[in-house]
Amino acid sequence: MKSQDETLDEWCRSLLQAYELEDVQVDVNAVLALAGVAAHSVVRPAAPLTTFIAGYAAGLASGSGQATNTASMASALAVARSLAADYDDEAAGTPGE
């Protein structure tokens, strides 16, 4: 039986292949960590929404030549992670901390 990590890596490769993006490297753990931050800082359904929008933003930046695939993904994940953390702080009444 495959581990969860093996299954996720295989699934990621399958998706990338289906979209003809075999040369794109995805940091699965970073995406899952972002989903966790969004789920806990905003609301649980924010996890897939946040990761989708971050991925879309990364794709637009990379596709327009603003940055490499790796830099685009890192930047998009960082922005989303920061916004989610700030959202949690604002909800707790401590913006910017």
Side-chain angles (χ1 to χ4, degrees):
M1 177 175 246
K2 288 186 256 184
S3 71
Q4 179 174 302
D5 287 343
E6 291 171 323
T7 301
L8 287 173
D9 286 341
E10 182 180 285
W11 175 241
C12 184
R13 282 192 307 276
S14 294
L15 282 171
L16 291 170
Q17 184 177 26
Y19 289 115
E20 298 178 4
L21 298 170
E22 293 92 342
D23 60 329
V24 174
Q25 297 297 313
V26 176
D27 185 341
V28 174
N29 290 325
V31 174
L32 294 176
L34 172 58
V37 170
H40 292 101
S41 298
V42 184
V43 291
R44 188 169 283 175
L49 179 63
T50 302
T51 55
F52 172 80
I53 293 172
Y56 191 80
L60 288 175
S62 179
S64 69
Q66 291 176 338
T68 64
N69 288 341
T70 302
S72 296
M73 282 192 245
S75 177
L77 292 174
V79 167
R81 197 171 29 257
S82 176
L83 286 174
D86 288 348
Y87 188 91
D88 191 36
D89 289 341
E90 288 175 17
T94 56
E97 291 188 341

